[in-house]
């Protein structure tokens, strides 16, 4: 029986760009370096954040709900349909997520006192504590990530990335960071 081979390491950015240029002569290597580096950085940061959330016993999906409730401001409440809309989820998917989180004590789900038909999802103290701890962990990771950049360099990098983000948002205003329109 043949031995299973180790997956080969990801090529360096220079190797990737050289291979692309070999196959596609019109490639702008500066553009490819920027977008490839951003893509790799995004993937690696998502892995790091995922590991931190796993240490806290929450999933990325649950983090997104906690974050959305915190962004709503005190008293950290929102209807499930508004949560679903902001997260790009179907109502059924949102209901499933809320059920799981309520079972874990991260949120409560109660009827609105002023409109008994309406349900309100509210962040619990435990849910807010998980959000705060995730923020502490992310802040330490992000500080370490940017430690080699001066304050001025961080400012310039931030401004440049925001310009790129605005360009993408202008070209793809309905994307919102979700790929649901590509599934199917």
């Amino acid at each position: 029986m043949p031995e299973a081979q180790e997956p080969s390491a990801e090529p360096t950015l220079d190797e990737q760009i050289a291979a692309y240029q070999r196959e596609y002569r019109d490639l702008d290597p500066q553009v490819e370096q920027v977008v490839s580096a951003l893509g790799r950085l995004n993937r690696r940061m998502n892995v790091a954040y995922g590991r931190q959330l796993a240490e806290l016993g929450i999933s990325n999906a649950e983090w997104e709900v906690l974050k959305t409730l915190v962004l709503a401001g005190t008293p950290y409440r929102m209807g499930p349909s508004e949560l679903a809309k902001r997260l790009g989820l179907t109502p059924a998917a949102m209901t499933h997520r809320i059920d799981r989180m309520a079972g874990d004590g991260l949120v409560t789900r109660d009827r609105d006192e002023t409109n008994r038909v309406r349900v309100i999802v509210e962040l619990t103290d435990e849910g807010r504590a998980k959000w705060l701890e995730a923020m502490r962990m992310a802040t330490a990771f992000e500080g370490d990530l940017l430690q080699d950049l001066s304050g001025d360099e961080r400012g310039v990098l931030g401004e440049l990335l925001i310009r790129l983000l605005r360009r993408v948002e202008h070209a793809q205003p309905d994307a919102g960071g979700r790929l649901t329109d590509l599934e199917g």
Side-chain angles (χ1 to χ4, degrees):
M1 183 170 210
E3 273 186 49
Q5 291 184 329
E6 289 281 326
S8 60
E10 184 176 33
T12 66
L13 284 179
D14 289 340
E15 291 168 340
Q16 178 180 324
I17 293 166
Y20 285 178
Q21 283 182 300
R22 182 183 65 238
E23 300 297 325
Y24 181 65
R25 298 236 181 256
D26 292 337
L27 182 82
D28 182 333
Q30 287 181 316
V31 170
E32 190 59 36
Q33 182 182 43
V34 169
V35 296
S36 293
L38 285 172
R40 287 184 186 200
L41 179 60
N42 182 56
R43 278 195 323 270
R44 285 164 174 78
M45 289 177 69
N46 284 335
V47 168
Y49 291 136
R51 287 178 179 153
Q52 290 176 341
L53 293 174
E55 282 182 41
L56 296 174
I58 60 175
S59 68
N60 187 50
E62 292 166 331
W63 161 254
E64 291 293 329
V65 173
L66 297 177
K67 178 176 73 173
T68 302
L69 289 169
V70 167
L71 288 172
T74 56
Y76 312 120
R77 307 172 68 181
M78 191 175 286
S81 58
E82 180 63 19
L83 269 170
K85 182 179 176 183
R86 289 193 188 184
L87 294 173
L89 298 172
T90 64
M94 190 74 250
T95 298
H96 179 70
R97 195 172 293 179
I98 292 167
D99 287 345
R100 205 172 50 240
M101 293 179 72
D104 290 341
L106 301 173
V107 299
T108 59
R109 178 183 38 215
D110 293 307
R111 295 277 174 206
D112 186 340
E113 293 298 321
T114 61
N115 178 352
R116 299 295 295 160
V117 175
R118 186 168 184 250
V119 172
I120 298 291
V121 177
E122 185 171 345
L123 190 64
T124 64
D125 289 342
E126 183 177 346
R128 188 160 193 286
K130 293 274 186 180
W131 179 83
L132 283 169
E133 186 57 28
M135 289 299 293
R136 283 186 200 96
M137 294 169 83
T139 299
F141 167 71
E142 293 157 359
D144 187 52
L145 175 70
L146 298 174
Q147 70 180 336
D148 296 333
L149 301 180
S150 70
D152 288 344
E153 289 171 322
R154 290 177 188 196
V156 169
L157 179 61
E159 289 172 14
L160 293 172
L161 291 172
I162 288 169
R163 280 175 44 195
L164 293 175
L165 179 60
R166 285 184 181 141
R167 170 73 64 182
V168 171
E169 288 174 341
H170 179 73
Q172 304 287 326
D174 61 337
R178 304 283 174 210
L179 299 178
T180 54
D181 58 329
L182 301 178
E183 296 172 357

